[in-house]
Every structure is written in structure tokens, then in C-alpha cells.
Amino acid sequence: MTAPRRARVADAAARLAAAGVESPRVDAELLAAHVLGVPRTRLVLAPDLDDEGAARLEALVARRATREPLQYVLASAVLGPVSVAVGPGVFVPRPETELLLGEAVSALRGLGEPRVVDLCTGSGALALAIATARPDAEVHAVELDPGALAWARRNLDGTGVALTAADVTDPATLATLEGTVDVVVANPPYVPEGTAVAPEVDHDPHGAVFAGPDGLAVIRPLATTAARLLRPGGRVAVEHDESHASSVREVLEGAGFTGVATLDDLAGRPRVAVGTRR
């Protein structure tokens, strides 16, 4: 990097650090790479920012310094092999959801032309990542919120993923698929109401984050929906709050799942419950 660009990135990182951003240097480099149109790994080889580029970087850094999510600022989010468009009105995919993706792909091994359902799809990132990893799969995505649906349609149009506007707690949702699905995945709202969250999370739609006093208001009926959709031997994987491990296992067992277990994320936090349909 030339000195001027190094200085600009360093200045951006300092401003983001002062604003309380968790990874200021990484974010500053990602913003600079975005302006230059190169991957972050190629930033060192990219040309310096001209005046217009410097102004664009300044504007993006100012937005991120307000704790607007980095993905909103970049207008995209990455999950596994895919990048999807995101912005106000849709939940930002988090790194921990890679665990759901990995579990789904693992559960599909050895199955030809499997059927998968992604409940509470949000941006459609998880459904699209599964469809990309398994092009032979029939993938369905379900979302109720109109704002999120608009983003999901944008991301899933032409991909082969079937998007349904429906309530995942409604017994009629995807009724024609009952007992035929191989894998159900879900990243539902699960934070208890009133819980303090990072400023970035305040930008996510409230209904995509919070779920009643104990955070289980959606997971409880969703487990029943998953059991209804799955064939015997089918697998479910549900992301949850790290404080909910035992509670969600009990919910899944009560809905008719066996072999229920909890998977830890890379930080060692219990974040995903899995089980097999009886």
C-alpha cells in the first residue's frame, strides 16, 4: 500500500475503534477494498484512492461509526459460498449461522435429490447457500415479514429456491410437503425481550431478533412445524441463544425428535440444536 492509503485506512480504523466497533481494522480494510473494488486480501496490491474514492471511503466510515452494521454499509453479506444483498428491513446473517449450513450439508450426504426447508429465511442466505452446496436439492424457504421477503425475493429470484410467504408457526404452512422433507433448518428470532444487545443489532428488524419474554415464543411452535414436515429419520437444526441449550433440547424432544443434541460454535458457545424425526 502507498503511504496515503495506509494513512487513510489507519485513520478509518482509529475512528471506528473510537466508536466502539469490535473489529475496527478489519472493517476499515473491508470498506477500503469495497471502494476500490478488490477483495480485502488484494488490498495491498490495489491502486491508491483518488479524491473521489477517498470521499466515498469517508462516507462509508462515517456510516459504520454510527454502528450501522458493516453488511448494511457494504450492501451485502456472506454466508458460506454465497453473497446476498442486505439492507434496512432484513436480519443480517451472522457467522454462527455457518454452523447451521454445515449441519445441513452434512445431513444431506448420501441422499439423492434431497428436499430441504429453511424456516425464517430472512434474506434467503441460508437457503441459497444450501442450494449452492447441493444443486440437486429441492430447497424451500419460508418468511413472513414483508420487508425481509422483499430482500429474499431479490436474492432468490432465478436460483431455483422456492420462496413461500407464510408464518412458520401456522399448521397450514407447506402442508403439501408434510412428511416428505429430509432436512429442516431454522434461524428464528430467539432473544428474550428486554435483553441488551449491541448497537448493530438495533438495526435488525425487531421481530427477527426478539421472541417473547424467554426468547422461545417462535422456537416452540416452529419445532412442531419441523416435525410435521420431516419424514421419519429426517433431521432438524435450529439456531438458538447460548443460554437456551437445555430449553431447546426439551422443546425438540417434546415435538417428537430423538438423538437431540447441542452443537457449539467456533467460540465454544452452544448455538444450534439438532435432532432426528422419529
Side-chain angles (χ1 to χ4, degrees):
M1 273 196 264
T2 60
R5 180 151 41 80
R6 282 202 303 269
R8 288 187 180 108
V9 171
D11 178 67
R15 289 178 59 192
L16 296 180
V21 172
E22 186 174 327
S23 52
R25 181 72 190 193
V26 171
D27 284 22
E29 291 178 354
L30 285 168
L31 292 171
H34 176 72
V35 170
L36 288 164
V38 300
R40 178 183 169 224
T41 54
R42 303 288 293 178
L43 188 58
V44 68
L45 302 176
D48 194 14
L49 291 161
D50 57 19
D51 290 343
E52 180 183 354
R56 286 183 60 205
L57 178 61
E58 166 66 24
L60 296 180
V61 171
R63 287 174 60 187
R64 184 67 183 104
T66 69
R67 305 299 294 274
E68 182 179 355
L70 177 67
Q71 295 88 342
Y72 279 12
V73 178
L74 297 176
S76 66
V78 174
L79 182 66
V82 302
S83 176
V84 296
V86 295
V90 71
F91 182 80
V92 173
R94 284 1 187 228
E96 51 264 33
T97 303
E98 297 272 357
L99 196 57
L100 273 182
L101 173 59
E103 175 62 20
V105 173
S106 177
L108 295 175
R109 290 195 184 104
L111 299 178
E113 300 182 349
R115 178 173 285 164
V116 182
V117 172
D118 175 22
L119 301 174
C120 302
T121 196
S123 66
L126 181 57
L128 182 58
I130 293 170
T132 301
R134 284 295 303 264
D136 63 326
E138 176 188 316
V139 181
H140 296 259
V142 181
E143 179 57 53
L144 179 64
D145 180 78
L149 272 168
W151 288 102
R153 289 191 182 100
R154 176 177 174 179
N155 291 319
L156 298 177
D157 184 43
T159 66
V161 175
L163 177 62
T164 299
D167 184 347
V168 301
T169 70
D170 185 343
T173 294
L174 299 184
T176 59
L177 300 185
E178 288 186 11
T180 68
V181 176
D182 295 294
V183 173
V184 171
V185 292
N187 182 16
Y190 52 68
V191 177
E193 291 283 358
T195 301
V197 295
E200 286 83 356
V201 180
D202 287 331
H203 290 263
D204 286 312
H206 186 90
V209 177
F210 299 96
D214 63 358
L216 298 175
V218 177
I219 287 179
R220 288 190 185 96
L222 181 149
T224 301
T225 297
R228 174 173 57 81
L229 293 173
L230 286 165
R231 61 169 174 78
R235 294 281 288 173
V236 67
V238 182
E239 188 173 315
H240 58 73
D241 186 80
E242 60 186 284
S243 67
H244 286 156
S246 61
S247 298
V248 177
R249 287 198 301 270
E250 290 174 5
V251 168
L252 291 183
E253 288 167 353
F257 290 94
T258 62
V260 175
T262 301
L263 305 180
D264 293 345
D265 64 15
L266 292 177
R269 301 171 300 181
R271 296 307 305 273
V272 170
V274 297
T276 301
R277 180 73 169 91
R278 287 193 184 97

